[in-house]
Amino acid sequence: MSECAVLLAAGPGTRLRPLTDTIPKCLVPVGGRPMLDWWLELLARHGVDRALVATNYLSDQVKAFVRRQKHAVEVEVRDEPVLLGTAGAVTAQAEWLEKEESFWVIYVDNLSSADLSAMRSFHREKKGIGTLGVYETPVPSQCGIVELRNGEEANGSGQVLRLVEKPAFPAGNLANGGLYLLDREILDHIPAPPCDFARDVFPAILARSSSRPLFAWRIRGYHLDMGTLETYQRAEQDVRNGVFP
C-alpha cells in the first residue's frame, strides 16, 4: 500500500534570518544537509513513498534541489502562490490526496528522529480522525500545548482534550510537534483558507462531540523545532555531538 506525506515549506522563515535571506527554510543546512533532505530520508526509512513539498518563498531553489538529488521517495514540488496556512496548504492538494485513506503532514522546520512506524501503528489502533506527534518542551508558554484525557498524561499518548496555542498558564509541557498522521475525513473539517490546523481545524474538531477523536502520540526520539536562530544553533551542535542520531 502506498503512503504519502505533505511537507509544509511555504513560509519565509523570518525568525531564521539572516539564514533565510537567500535560502528557503527547508534548505537551510543542518549538519551539512538541508532540513528537507533529513525528512525525505526519514520518510523513506519508514515506508512513505510519495511526498509533496508545498512551497512559496524561493520555490525555484526547492525545485532545483529536488531535481539534483536522488531520493527513495518520489518527490513533487508545488507552488503556493498565496500563503494558505498549514491546513489550507493541505486542502489545496485534495486531488493529489484523492486515493489516500490517510496521509502525513510535516512541518519541515523541525529536526526529528521520530519512529513513524510506531506512530502509524498507534494511529491505526486508535482509529481516530488524526494523530498528533507531541514532545516535551522546556518552554510550554511558547508552544501549542496539548492536553490529554485524564489519566493519560503520564505516558504522553492518548486522546486529546484541548490544544491551546502559547498559553499564559500552561496546563502541561506536551507540545504540538508539527507532525500529523491524518485520515482523509479531516479534509471535510478544513474551512476556506487561509486556515491552520492548530488554530482552526483541531479546536473545531475537539469542540464537536460527534466528531471522531484526535489522539496524541509522544515522540520518544529526538525532536526539535528549529524555528529560531537559537534552536537552529542547538540543532547544529546536537548533530555535531551525536545527540541527534
Side-chain angles (χ1 to χ4, degrees):
M1 180 184 296
S2 68
E3 195 166 329
C4 72
V6 178
L7 290 88
L8 303 178
T14 52
R15 294 182 299 159
L16 280 174
R17 287 177 176 164
L19 291 174
T20 50
D21 283 345
T22 57
I23 306 172
K25 66 180 178 180
C26 67
L27 297 187
V28 169
V30 182
R33 294 174 60 184
M35 287 195 248
L36 178 58
D37 202 39
W38 287 111
W39 272 112
L40 293 174
E41 178 185 316
L42 187 67
L43 290 170
R45 192 183 308 150
H46 291 278
V48 179
D49 49 17
R50 290 198 308 145
L52 185 149
V53 185
T55 65
N56 173 278
Y57 179 66
L58 301 176
S59 60
D60 287 345
Q61 290 188 35
V62 184
K63 293 174 184 175
F65 167 77
V66 169
R67 283 196 302 268
R68 286 195 309 269
Q69 303 295 315
K70 292 183 179 179
H71 296 100
V73 179
E74 178 187 332
V75 186
E76 182 175 346
V77 180
R78 291 192 179 179
D79 284 335
E80 195 176 306
V82 177
L83 292 177
L84 301 173
T86 57
V90 170
T91 197
Q93 310 306 331
E95 184 178 347
W96 189 80
L97 297 165
E98 186 176 18
K99 297 179 180 179
E100 304 297 331
E101 293 181 8
S102 61
F103 54 90
W104 296 91
V105 174
I106 293 166
Y107 297 17
V108 184
D109 50 356
N110 294 315
L111 185 65
S112 184
S113 67
D115 185 344
L116 303 185
S117 297
M119 184 170 171
R120 180 192 297 120
S121 296
F122 177 88
H123 176 75
R124 290 175 178 172
E125 174 192 345
K126 295 299 184 181
K127 296 182 171 59
I129 194 171
T131 298
L132 287 62
V134 298
Y135 68 103
E136 291 186 348
T137 176
V139 285
S141 62
Q142 298 177 24
C143 303
I145 295 301
V146 176
E147 299 177 31
L148 304 183
R149 189 171 58 184
N150 290 340
E152 296 181 322
E153 296 92 341
N155 67 7
S157 298
Q159 186 174 334
V160 177
L161 288 183
R162 281 176 292 276
L163 173 58
V164 184
E165 280 297 306
K166 299 180 179 179
F169 303 100
N173 68 341
L174 284 179
N176 176 4
L179 170 63
Y180 312 141
L181 183 53
L182 306 174
D183 277 13
R184 182 176 173 77
E185 183 188 330
I186 201 90
L187 298 177
D188 298 331
H189 294 266
I190 298 177
C195 57
D196 289 294
F197 281 111
R199 188 188 66 216
D200 305 306
V201 180
F202 295 152
I205 290 174
L206 293 170
R208 295 184 190 125
S209 58
S210 59
S211 297
R212 290 168 62 201
L214 283 168
F215 287 89
W217 177 82
R218 183 177 172 185
I219 300 168
R220 299 289 177 178
Y222 184 99
H223 193 86
L224 179 67
D225 176 355
M226 293 187 302
T228 67
L229 284 173
E230 181 182 0
T231 52
Y232 169 75
Q233 289 161 0
R234 176 182 161 191
E236 281 277 75
Q237 185 176 9
D238 287 348
V239 172
R240 186 167 54 249
N241 294 337
V243 177
F244 174 71

